[in-house]
Amino acid sequence: SSEVLEAIESVIEDVLKSLAQNKAPVLTLANRSDWRNIEFKDSVGLQMIPHSTTRQIRSDCPSSAPRFALMLKILSMIYKMVQSNTYATKRDIYYSDTLLFGSQSIVDSIINDISCMLQIPRRSLHILSTTKGFVAGNLSYTEEDGTKVNCTYSATAVAVPSNVQGIKNLISHAKFILIVEKDATFQRLLDDDFCTKLSPCIMITGRGIPDLNTRFLVRKLWDAFQIPIFTLMDADPHGVEIMCIYKYGSVSMSFEAHHLTVPSIKWLGLLPSDLERLNIHKDVLIPFTKQDQNKLASIQKRPYIACQPLWKRELEIMAASKLKAEIQVLTSLSSDYLSRVYLPNKLQFGGWI
């Protein structure tokens, strides 16, 4: 916490120095959404280069002055929270003054900018994000406040904790972790008792694009247990994008890649080649939109695809067919095909890439 306070004091000191010299204060931060500032490392994923290009948020420019003011406002809120050892969610910050902030997305973006500028993980800024992910299966742990959580005997999933950093005493006999893209598929596997039928496992869903807590939990479980992690996604560009976020991280959070990525994650399904292999009828597949084509083309150009020849091949199959499939397409074979046939066969015979 002293590191956070010192970092904020240093920013404010620079603002005061500028004012003392009759100069307009500026806040300088790395340009975190520019691919030119990102390098790909096999062992980490997408990470920010040490000397990246920066952008300035000026106090004397009409277009950036409001953002400058909001950054100082949130810095002062963080400073008070760290001093008093209290926490707030991003929603709490927005609702503390909705008129001033304007929208939740502005608050979210400023918090990420501050984290990047101070080079301090967002968790250390005492800001928690509301979790949307769920975890189930063979896992128990203790939360920071001493609450014991046992996912093993729970018929329903447990919400991913909002302070993943604080959880301890992680215990599991799981043989693997399965990341499921969608909540509906996750619930279906839970209903089919998938976590205990085949072999003990842990299931996680970020319910679409994962929030930071879900990504951080996947990383924490990987560090704790070093067991295989598989992904179960729709066979479409959006599903591939989500899987890449878990595995390699995202451009906008590349400055925190070390805590969030697990490059050893494997793609279990739904593979584009599975659709052909299982004779899935074309009628149940969905034609690509222009947006799908653009998304796939952008993924194919990314640095990490070049070092994944098998992934590259699957993306080529998808591009050639211009068709996509949701995991639910397997119900066209039989209602419980996913949990009874597809996943057991894949896991037993190594059908992942």
Side-chain angles (χ1 to χ4, degrees), residues 11-12 15 25-27 57-77 93 97 100-101 106 110 114 117:
V11 169
I12 302 304
V15 168
V26 267
L27 298 173
I57 295 164
R58 303 190 61 86
S59 60
D60 61 346
C61 166
S63 61
S64 64
R67 195 173 183 89
F68 179 92
L70 292 179
M71 282 185 78
L72 288 193
K73 167 75 176 166
I74 293 178
L75 277 169
S76 79
M77 293 171 85
I93 288 176
D97 199 332
L100 176 70
F101 292 119
I106 289 172
I110 285 175
I114 287 173
M117 176 176 75

Side-chain angles (χ1 to χ4, degrees), residues 110-140:
I110 285 175
I111 288 165
N112 285 342
D113 276 352
I114 287 173
S115 178
C116 182
M117 176 176 75
L118 301 179
Q119 294 188 314
I120 287 170
R122 198 181 66 196
R123 303 173 296 288
S124 305
L125 303 178
H126 284 230
I127 295 172
L128 307 171
S129 51
T130 323
T131 301
K132 62 180 183 126
F134 285 114
V135 59
N138 196 293
L139 175 69
S140 63

Side-chain angles (χ1 to χ4, degrees), residues 66-308:
R67 195 173 183 89
F68 179 92
L70 292 179
M71 282 185 78
L72 288 193
K73 167 75 176 166
I74 293 178
L75 277 169
S76 79
M77 293 171 85
I78 293 167
Y79 194 85
K80 282 176 195 154
M81 287 192 299
V82 174
Q83 268 188 326
S84 60
N85 196 25
T86 53
Y87 287 82
T89 65
K90 295 190 294 186
R91 283 182 75 75
D92 294 335
I93 288 176
Y94 169 57
Y95 281 110
S96 70
D97 199 332
T98 52
L99 279 176
L100 176 70
F101 292 119
S103 77
Q104 182 70 61
S105 60
I106 289 172
V107 171
D108 297 356
S109 151
I110 285 175
I111 288 165
N112 285 342
D113 276 352
I114 287 173
S115 178
C116 182
M117 176 176 75
L118 301 179
Q119 294 188 314
I120 287 170
R122 198 181 66 196
R123 303 173 296 288
S124 305
L125 303 178
H126 284 230
I127 295 172
L128 307 171
S129 51
T130 323
T131 301
K132 62 180 183 126
F134 285 114
V135 59
N138 196 293
L139 175 69
S140 63
Y141 55 84
T142 309
E143 290 197 358
E144 195 176 32
D145 63 1
T147 308
K148 287 185 166 53
V149 177
N150 191 341
C151 310
T152 312
Y153 304 110
S154 178
T156 55
V158 172
V160 168
S162 56
N163 188 358
V164 177
Q165 193 179 17
I167 68 173
K168 48 192 182 290
N169 306 333
L170 285 93
I171 299 166
S172 177
H173 303 293
K175 297 284 181 277
F176 63 90
I177 295 166
L178 182 67
I179 299 171
V180 183
E181 177 187 349
K182 282 185 177 154
D183 194 28
T185 310
F186 179 85
Q187 295 298 339
R188 179 66 210 246
L189 289 171
L190 212 53
D191 293 344
D192 290 350
D193 204 15
F194 178 75
C195 292
T196 53
K197 266 187 184 158
L198 190 63
S199 64
C201 73
I202 298 168
M203 277 199 319
I204 291 180
T205 181
R207 297 161 79 197
I209 293 171
D211 58 306
L212 285 187
N213 292 330
T214 305
R215 288 171 60 190
F216 191 36
L217 179 64
V218 170
R219 175 63 199 231
K220 194 162 180 116
L221 294 174
W222 161 248
D223 287 338
F225 305 122
Q226 301 279 310
I227 51 178
I229 303 182
F230 302 110
T231 58
L232 180 62
M233 306 279 149
D234 286 343
D236 66 9
H238 190 63
V240 175
E241 171 89 285
I242 288 169
M243 176 168 55
C244 291
I245 290 172
Y246 283 107
K247 187 175 171 76
Y248 295 125
S250 58
V251 173
S252 63
M253 293 303 291
S254 57
F255 62 94
E256 246 201 272
H258 289 268
H259 308 289
L260 295 169
T261 60
V262 184
S264 61
I265 283 174
K266 302 277 184 271
W267 186 2
L268 186 71
L270 192 60
L271 301 178
S273 59
D274 289 340
L275 303 174
E276 221 165 88
R277 185 174 60 81
L278 298 171
N279 288 324
I280 301 284
H281 210 278
K282 288 267 198 302
D283 296 354
V284 292
L285 302 179
I286 308 159
F288 262 23
T289 61
K290 187 83 187 106
Q291 201 180 357
D292 290 325
Q293 273 175 291
N294 295 341
K295 167 77 78 186
L296 183 57
S298 107
I299 292 170
Q300 285 177 302
K301 290 192 193 99
R302 289 186 195 165
Y304 44 69
I305 297 299
C307 68
Q308 289 278 6

